[in-house]
Amino acid sequence: MNYYVIAGEPSGDLHAANLLREIKKVDSSAKFRCWGGDLMKAEGAEIVKHYKELAFMGFVEVAKNLRTIFKNIAFCKEDILKNKPEALILVDYPGFNLRIAKWAKQQGIRVFYYISPTVWGWQESRVNIIKENVERMYVILPFEKPFYAKHNCEVDYFGHPLADIIDAAKANMLSRADFLKKYNLSDKPIITLMPGSRNQEVHYKLPEMLKVIKHFPNHQFVIGASAAFLENFADLVKGYDVKVVANDAYTLMHHSEAGLVKSGTSVLEAALLNMPQALVYKGNDISVQITRWVIKVKWIGLPNLILNKEAVRELIQEEMNENTLVEELKALLSGPKRNQLLTEYNILQGLLHAGNVSAKIAGDIYRRLQHEKT
């Protein structure tokens, strides 16, 4: 069967790639035309647009790029019609994908959605769009199933795919000694900095992160980043005693004593890897203020939302400053706060581990498609 898959961000590329791999196991004739990235391409997908062309963060940034976004939507609709897929699989990326879902339903295309928009955080009215236009929603956070149930919308929760991904990664990780040797690191305890990958987020966050280095002379600081990080941000790290480990963030976090992690999927990854952390976010003042006006949840970190408490401290905008970052790191390196956080991580992991999440979703999509044929 022909599948059209849309993922607009790096995390979507990861989860979609794993889903494609599992679909191929149940559907030997599967062909994929996709919006995504290199991981999906490695699974045999034909990439129409790379997610790097699609990434716009924040209200102001989206507003500046509306013309490009609408051109992409129009092109996507044309391309879907031309390729006539049996199934359209949308992965996260709600601003774009919900528009496509509504349109696709009108065209008689079967729509499956993997990774729910944050309808529980803001724009709750989007639940109605999902109810009317999506054949099946696959959620990855345990509290989302009862949330949708309150709106008379049945969804599936098979666990969080990151738990499977990280379990597999741990099985093949280098030992600490081999890791230090590979990246020419010293034997000092590691503090990890995860500033993100997008130009705007790195420029806002990394300068604040780097200010803490001088306060921890007995530790080494390492930035977890992509291979292109130094090429793009060499000016920001110049003069600081910090190293970069490219494309090996899981092993880095696994061997770290603590870290400062930008908001997003990385916070959950750090929790699953047992790295004590503080969540940090700094951005455009206008975008942050608008977000504070419209968001309906107490926290932005996934561990906190799942546990319904601020287990991981959130340092946002004005709170992301040198003094606060230093204070929080010291508490994370030793003492009761560190121990309590590791206990919370253990509870979190129990909620998310279910096993073979991508395989379960792939099987469910294929069964539904086959059932319609018969």
Side-chain angles (χ1 to χ4, degrees), residues 148-165:
Y148 273 98
K150 287 194 303 184
H151 293 272
N152 298 312
C153 183
E154 187 179 353
V155 301
D156 290 301
Y157 173 68
F158 294 119
H160 200 296
L162 264 182
D164 291 338
I165 292 166

Side-chain angles (χ1 to χ4, degrees), residues 18 52 84-85 101 123 149 188 195 255 270 277 287 308 315 338 358 366:
N18 289 329
K52 290 177 183 176
K84 300 177 181 176
Q123 291 190 314
K188 289 181 179 180
H255 291 304
Q277 64 180 312
S287 290
N308 197 29
L315 301 174
R338 176 186 179 87
S358 298
Y366 185 66

Side-chain angles (χ1 to χ4, degrees), residues 7 15 74 81 110 115 187 189 301 305 313 334 351:
H15 297 311
L81 285 179
R110 299 181 72 176
I115 306 178
D187 196 42
L305 289 165
R313 188 171 178 191
S334 64
L351 293 170

Side-chain angles (χ1 to χ4, degrees), residues 197 199 203 226-236:
S197 58
N199 184 65
H203 275 90
S226 67
F229 182 87
L230 280 177
E231 179 184 334
N232 296 332
F233 306 110
D235 57 321
L236 294 181

Side-chain angles (χ1 to χ4, degrees), residues 22-121:
E22 296 299 331
I23 288 174
K24 287 187 293 183
K25 291 178 183 177
V26 294
D27 181 2
S28 58
S29 67
K31 294 181 181 177
F32 304 105
R33 186 166 174 84
C34 303
W35 293 44
D38 299 340
L39 297 176
M40 295 167 73
K41 185 177 180 180
E43 293 301 326
E46 180 182 359
I47 301 298
V48 183
K49 289 245 182 197
H50 199 284
Y51 64 73
K52 290 177 183 176
E53 300 177 59
L54 310 173
F56 304 110
M57 285 182 66
F59 293 95
V60 173
E61 292 74 18
V62 168
K64 287 179 181 176
N65 291 281
L66 276 176
R67 186 175 179 184
T68 299
I69 292 167
F70 285 122
K71 280 177 67 176
N72 284 337
I73 290 171
F75 171 73
C76 184
K77 291 176 179 178
E78 271 181 47
D79 198 55
I80 292 171
L81 285 179
K82 188 166 67 175
N83 286 276
K84 300 177 181 176
E86 274 90 355
L88 173 64
I89 302 175
L90 307 173
V91 184
D92 204 358
Y93 198 47
F96 188 96
N97 275 340
L98 286 178
R99 290 175 181 270
I100 296 297
K102 187 174 182 178
W103 168 85
K105 177 66 182 295
Q106 294 168 353
Q107 311 307 310
I109 298 167
R110 299 181 72 176
V111 181
F112 299 87
Y113 210 119
Y114 180 28
I115 306 178
S116 171
T118 55
V119 287
W120 34 266

Side-chain angles (χ1 to χ4, degrees), residues 30-322:
K31 294 181 181 177
F32 304 105
R33 186 166 174 84
C34 303
W35 293 44
D38 299 340
L39 297 176
M40 295 167 73
K41 185 177 180 180
E43 293 301 326
E46 180 182 359
I47 301 298
V48 183
K49 289 245 182 197
H50 199 284
Y51 64 73
K52 290 177 183 176
E53 300 177 59
L54 310 173
F56 304 110
M57 285 182 66
F59 293 95
V60 173
E61 292 74 18
V62 168
K64 287 179 181 176
N65 291 281
L66 276 176
R67 186 175 179 184
T68 299
I69 292 167
F70 285 122
K71 280 177 67 176
N72 284 337
I73 290 171
F75 171 73
C76 184
K77 291 176 179 178
E78 271 181 47
D79 198 55
I80 292 171
L81 285 179
K82 188 166 67 175
N83 286 276
K84 300 177 181 176
E86 274 90 355
L88 173 64
I89 302 175
L90 307 173
V91 184
D92 204 358
Y93 198 47
F96 188 96
N97 275 340
L98 286 178
R99 290 175 181 270
I100 296 297
K102 187 174 182 178
W103 168 85
K105 177 66 182 295
Q106 294 168 353
Q107 311 307 310
I109 298 167
R110 299 181 72 176
V111 181
F112 299 87
Y113 210 119
Y114 180 28
I115 306 178
S116 171
T118 55
V119 287
W120 34 266
W122 70 302
Q123 291 190 314
E124 197 166 328
S125 60
R126 285 175 161 183
V127 173
N128 294 323
I129 298 173
I130 291 164
K131 280 174 66 175
E132 292 168 9
N133 301 293
V134 174
E135 180 170 335
R136 206 67 186 174
M137 168 67 76
Y138 302 99
V139 302
I140 62 171
L141 300 172
F143 62 81
E144 290 178 319
K145 190 172 177 67
F147 172 85
Y148 273 98
K150 287 194 303 184
H151 293 272
N152 298 312
C153 183
E154 187 179 353
V155 301
D156 290 301
Y157 173 68
F158 294 119
H160 200 296
L162 264 182
D164 291 338
I165 292 166
I166 287 175
D167 280 350
K170 283 179 179 177
N172 298 299
M173 278 182 184
L174 293 174
S175 67
R176 186 174 189 274
D178 289 341
F179 177 74
L180 296 177
K181 182 178 179 181
K182 178 178 180 179
Y183 294 106
N184 194 28
L185 301 174
S186 77
D187 196 42
K188 289 181 179 180
I190 298 169
I191 295 177
T192 286
L193 305 179
M194 300 286 291
S197 58
R198 297 184 182 94
N199 184 65
Q200 68 194 56
E201 66 179 352
V202 174
H203 275 90
Y204 275 115
K205 298 181 187 75
L206 187 57
E208 295 297 328
M209 290 178 167
L210 294 172
K211 291 176 184 177
V212 308
I213 293 176
K214 61 180 179 286
H215 296 277
F216 297 90
N218 296 321
H219 291 76
Q220 60 182 323
F221 282 77
V222 182
I223 296 170
S226 67
F229 182 87
L230 280 177
E231 179 184 334
N232 296 332
F233 306 110
D235 57 321
L236 294 181
V237 300
K238 189 176 181 180
Y240 288 96
D241 184 12
V242 63
K243 293 199 173 180
V244 177
V245 165
N247 301 329
D248 201 359
Y250 286 179
T251 313
L252 172 61
M253 289 192 282
H254 180 67
H255 291 304
S256 294
E257 291 294 302
L260 301 176
V261 183
K262 62 98 178 178
S263 60
T265 305
S266 298
V267 179
L268 187 58
E269 291 171 329
L272 291 169
L273 287 158
N274 288 314
M275 183 182 80
Q277 64 180 312
L279 178 157
V280 296
Y281 182 83
K282 197 171 188 123
N284 178 285
D285 284 332
I286 297 173
S287 290
V288 171
Q289 190 56 53
I290 293 172
T291 301
R292 284 172 165 166
W293 286 337
V294 301
I295 201 162
K296 291 170 26 178
V297 290
K298 294 179 183 177
W299 309 287
I300 62 172
L302 287 174
N304 297 339
L305 289 165
I306 295 165
L307 294 168
N308 197 29
K309 62 167 69 173
E310 192 183 32
V312 175
R313 188 171 178 191
E314 301 187 356
L315 301 174
I316 300 169
Q317 207 65 356
E318 62 277 356
E319 281 194 292
M320 188 189 172
N321 60 66
E322 182 178 352

